mmCIF file of all heavy atoms in Angstrom:
data_model
loop_
_atom_site.group_PDB
_atom_site.id
_atom_site.type_symbol
_atom_site.label_atom_id
_atom_site.label_comp_id
_atom_site.label_asym_id
_atom_site.label_seq_id
_atom_site.Cartn_x
_atom_site.Cartn_y
_atom_site.Cartn_z
ATOM 1 N N SER I 327 -24.296 -69.330 321.151
ATOM 2 C CA SER I 327 -22.854 -69.053 321.209
ATOM 3 C C SER I 327 -22.585 -67.573 320.870
ATOM 4 O O SER I 327 -21.669 -66.952 321.404
ATOM 5 C CB SER I 327 -22.073 -69.969 320.277
ATOM 6 O OG SER I 327 -22.197 -69.525 318.942
ATOM 7 N N TYR I 328 -23.404 -67.002 319.988
ATOM 8 C CA TYR I 328 -23.241 -65.578 319.680
ATOM 9 C C TYR I 328 -23.453 -64.754 320.905
ATOM 10 O O TYR I 328 -22.648 -63.870 321.251
ATOM 11 C CB TYR I 328 -24.222 -65.195 318.567
ATOM 12 C CG TYR I 328 -24.064 -63.790 318.030
ATOM 13 C CD1 TYR I 328 -23.105 -63.507 317.059
ATOM 14 C CD2 TYR I 328 -24.850 -62.751 318.459
ATOM 15 C CE1 TYR I 328 -22.952 -62.240 316.564
ATOM 16 C CE2 TYR I 328 -24.722 -61.485 317.962
ATOM 17 C CZ TYR I 328 -23.772 -61.232 317.007
ATOM 18 O OH TYR I 328 -23.612 -59.951 316.516
ATOM 19 N N ILE I 329 -24.576 -65.014 321.588
ATOM 20 C CA ILE I 329 -24.849 -64.254 322.824
ATOM 21 C C ILE I 329 -23.714 -64.439 323.816
ATOM 22 O O ILE I 329 -23.209 -63.484 324.425
ATOM 23 C CB ILE I 329 -26.182 -64.692 323.469
ATOM 24 C CG1 ILE I 329 -27.347 -64.407 322.534
ATOM 25 C CG2 ILE I 329 -26.394 -63.983 324.774
ATOM 26 C CD1 ILE I 329 -28.683 -64.824 323.075
ATOM 27 N N ASN I 330 -23.287 -65.695 323.963
ATOM 28 C CA ASN I 330 -22.265 -65.956 324.951
ATOM 29 C C ASN I 330 -20.970 -65.250 324.637
ATOM 30 O O ASN I 330 -20.391 -64.550 325.465
ATOM 31 C CB ASN I 330 -22.048 -67.481 325.019
ATOM 32 C CG ASN I 330 -21.413 -67.889 326.315
ATOM 33 O OD1 ASN I 330 -21.625 -67.203 327.327
ATOM 34 N ND2 ASN I 330 -20.629 -68.949 326.289
ATOM 35 N N GLU I 331 -20.500 -65.404 323.364
ATOM 36 C CA GLU I 331 -19.216 -64.838 323.010
ATOM 37 C C GLU I 331 -19.253 -63.339 322.948
ATOM 38 O O GLU I 331 -18.374 -62.665 323.499
ATOM 39 C CB GLU I 331 -18.802 -65.327 321.622
ATOM 40 C CG GLU I 331 -18.112 -66.642 321.605
ATOM 41 C CD GLU I 331 -17.948 -67.099 320.172
ATOM 42 O OE1 GLU I 331 -17.887 -66.224 319.286
ATOM 43 O OE2 GLU I 331 -17.916 -68.316 319.946
ATOM 44 N N LYS I 332 -20.192 -62.813 322.197
ATOM 45 C CA LYS I 332 -20.129 -61.403 321.873
ATOM 46 C C LYS I 332 -20.627 -60.527 322.971
ATOM 47 O O LYS I 332 -20.323 -59.340 322.988
ATOM 48 C CB LYS I 332 -20.976 -61.103 320.615
ATOM 49 C CG LYS I 332 -20.624 -61.952 319.456
ATOM 50 C CD LYS I 332 -19.478 -61.366 318.702
ATOM 51 C CE LYS I 332 -19.140 -62.281 317.557
ATOM 52 N NZ LYS I 332 -18.136 -61.806 316.684
ATOM 53 N N ILE I 333 -21.441 -61.025 323.858
ATOM 54 C CA ILE I 333 -21.994 -60.148 324.869
ATOM 55 C C ILE I 333 -21.473 -60.517 326.243
ATOM 56 O O ILE I 333 -20.850 -59.688 326.910
ATOM 57 C CB ILE I 333 -23.516 -60.164 324.797
ATOM 58 C CG1 ILE I 333 -23.973 -59.795 323.385
ATOM 59 C CG2 ILE I 333 -24.087 -59.218 325.798
ATOM 60 C CD1 ILE I 333 -25.456 -59.761 323.196
ATOM 61 N N ILE I 334 -21.653 -61.787 326.640
ATOM 62 C CA ILE I 334 -21.324 -62.117 328.022
ATOM 63 C C ILE I 334 -19.815 -62.206 328.222
ATOM 64 O O ILE I 334 -19.242 -61.512 329.080
ATOM 65 C CB ILE I 334 -22.003 -63.451 328.414
ATOM 66 C CG1 ILE I 334 -23.508 -63.270 328.267
ATOM 67 C CG2 ILE I 334 -21.629 -63.822 329.811
ATOM 68 C CD1 ILE I 334 -24.297 -64.488 328.596
ATOM 69 N N LEU I 335 -19.134 -62.990 327.381
ATOM 70 C CA LEU I 335 -17.704 -63.129 327.547
ATOM 71 C C LEU I 335 -16.990 -61.826 327.210
ATOM 72 O O LEU I 335 -15.982 -61.491 327.828
ATOM 73 C CB LEU I 335 -17.162 -64.263 326.653
ATOM 74 C CG LEU I 335 -17.507 -65.649 327.140
ATOM 75 C CD1 LEU I 335 -16.939 -66.698 326.200
ATOM 76 C CD2 LEU I 335 -16.950 -65.874 328.539
ATOM 77 N N ALA I 336 -17.544 -61.087 326.243
ATOM 78 C CA ALA I 336 -16.934 -59.810 325.890
ATOM 79 C C ALA I 336 -16.935 -58.878 327.078
ATOM 80 O O ALA I 336 -15.954 -58.188 327.359
ATOM 81 C CB ALA I 336 -17.660 -59.174 324.713
ATOM 82 N N SER I 337 -18.053 -58.872 327.824
ATOM 83 C CA SER I 337 -18.093 -57.969 328.964
ATOM 84 C C SER I 337 -17.111 -58.385 330.036
ATOM 85 O O SER I 337 -16.548 -57.567 330.756
ATOM 86 C CB SER I 337 -19.523 -57.835 329.500
ATOM 87 O OG SER I 337 -19.810 -58.879 330.393
ATOM 88 N N GLU I 338 -16.867 -59.717 330.146
ATOM 89 C CA GLU I 338 -15.856 -60.180 331.099
ATOM 90 C C GLU I 338 -14.473 -59.657 330.678
ATOM 91 O O GLU I 338 -13.704 -59.162 331.504
ATOM 92 C CB GLU I 338 -15.814 -61.708 331.129
ATOM 93 C CG GLU I 338 -17.059 -62.345 331.705
ATOM 94 C CD GLU I 338 -17.265 -62.021 333.157
ATOM 95 O OE1 GLU I 338 -16.268 -61.946 333.895
ATOM 96 O OE2 GLU I 338 -18.438 -61.796 333.534
ATOM 97 N N ALA I 339 -14.153 -59.807 329.389
ATOM 98 C CA ALA I 339 -12.849 -59.367 328.891
ATOM 99 C C ALA I 339 -12.697 -57.861 329.090
ATOM 100 O O ALA I 339 -11.642 -57.381 329.514
ATOM 101 C CB ALA I 339 -12.709 -59.736 327.420
ATOM 102 N N ILE I 340 -13.752 -57.122 328.759
ATOM 103 C CA ILE I 340 -13.674 -55.672 328.892
ATOM 104 C C ILE I 340 -13.447 -55.280 330.330
ATOM 105 O O ILE I 340 -12.704 -54.363 330.645
ATOM 106 C CB ILE I 340 -14.921 -55.012 328.262
ATOM 107 C CG1 ILE I 340 -14.944 -55.254 326.774
ATOM 108 C CG2 ILE I 340 -14.944 -53.526 328.559
ATOM 109 C CD1 ILE I 340 -16.159 -54.706 326.108
ATOM 110 N N SER I 341 -14.166 -55.979 331.242
ATOM 111 C CA SER I 341 -13.980 -55.646 332.662
ATOM 112 C C SER I 341 -12.519 -55.854 333.078
ATOM 113 O O SER I 341 -11.976 -55.060 333.829
ATOM 114 C CB SER I 341 -14.864 -56.528 333.539
ATOM 115 O OG SER I 341 -16.152 -56.568 333.072
ATOM 116 N N LYS I 342 -11.922 -56.918 332.567
ATOM 117 C CA LYS I 342 -10.520 -57.191 332.940
ATOM 118 C C LYS I 342 -9.610 -56.044 332.542
ATOM 119 O O LYS I 342 -8.804 -55.587 333.323
ATOM 120 C CB LYS I 342 -10.053 -58.481 332.248
ATOM 121 C CG LYS I 342 -9.731 -59.543 333.226
ATOM 122 C CD LYS I 342 -9.106 -60.778 332.658
ATOM 123 C CE LYS I 342 -8.674 -60.655 331.254
ATOM 124 N NZ LYS I 342 -7.876 -61.742 330.784
ATOM 125 N N TYR I 343 -9.753 -55.566 331.309
ATOM 126 C CA TYR I 343 -8.940 -54.452 330.855
ATOM 127 C C TYR I 343 -9.271 -53.197 331.615
ATOM 128 O O TYR I 343 -8.388 -52.406 331.950
ATOM 129 C CB TYR I 343 -9.163 -54.182 329.355
ATOM 130 C CG TYR I 343 -8.601 -55.247 328.458
ATOM 131 C CD1 TYR I 343 -9.435 -55.935 327.583
ATOM 132 C CD2 TYR I 343 -7.242 -55.531 328.438
ATOM 133 C CE1 TYR I 343 -8.939 -56.894 326.738
ATOM 134 C CE2 TYR I 343 -6.755 -56.494 327.585
ATOM 135 C CZ TYR I 343 -7.593 -57.177 326.747
ATOM 136 O OH TYR I 343 -7.100 -58.145 325.916
ATOM 137 N N ALA I 344 -10.565 -52.975 331.858
ATOM 138 C CA ALA I 344 -10.971 -51.711 332.449
ATOM 139 C C ALA I 344 -10.504 -51.619 333.883
ATOM 140 O O ALA I 344 -10.167 -50.533 334.362
ATOM 141 C CB ALA I 344 -12.479 -51.565 332.368
ATOM 142 N N ILE I 345 -10.484 -52.789 334.563
ATOM 143 C CA ILE I 345 -10.104 -52.745 335.978
ATOM 144 C C ILE I 345 -8.631 -52.302 336.107
ATOM 145 O O ILE I 345 -8.270 -51.646 337.059
ATOM 146 C CB ILE I 345 -10.345 -54.132 336.608
ATOM 147 C CG1 ILE I 345 -11.840 -54.323 336.764
ATOM 148 C CG2 ILE I 345 -9.679 -54.246 337.956
ATOM 149 C CD1 ILE I 345 -12.232 -55.669 337.278
ATOM 150 N N GLU I 346 -7.812 -52.619 335.088
ATOM 151 C CA GLU I 346 -6.422 -52.131 335.142
ATOM 152 C C GLU I 346 -6.376 -50.627 335.165
ATOM 153 O O GLU I 346 -5.403 -50.030 335.637
ATOM 154 C CB GLU I 346 -5.667 -52.602 333.884
ATOM 155 C CG GLU I 346 -5.328 -54.021 333.871
ATOM 156 C CD GLU I 346 -4.835 -54.417 332.490
ATOM 157 O OE1 GLU I 346 -4.231 -53.580 331.808
ATOM 158 O OE2 GLU I 346 -5.050 -55.585 332.103
ATOM 159 N N LYS I 347 -7.382 -49.981 334.565
ATOM 160 C CA LYS I 347 -7.367 -48.539 334.452
ATOM 161 C C LYS I 347 -7.960 -47.860 335.674
ATOM 162 O O LYS I 347 -7.921 -46.653 335.787
ATOM 163 C CB LYS I 347 -8.150 -48.097 333.219
ATOM 164 C CG LYS I 347 -7.432 -48.373 331.943
ATOM 165 C CD LYS I 347 -6.285 -47.420 331.763
ATOM 166 C CE LYS I 347 -5.349 -47.871 330.696
ATOM 167 N NZ LYS I 347 -3.993 -47.477 330.975
#
Side-chain angles (χ1 to χ4, degrees):
Chain I
S327 77
Y328 186 82
I329 296 180
N330 201 30
E331 274 172 27
K332 305 275 178 175
I333 304 181
I334 300 179
L335 287 180
S337 83
E338 293 295 322
I340 294 178
S341 312
K342 244 187 11 170
Y343 290 120
I345 288 175
E346 287 169 31
K347 287 287 166 212

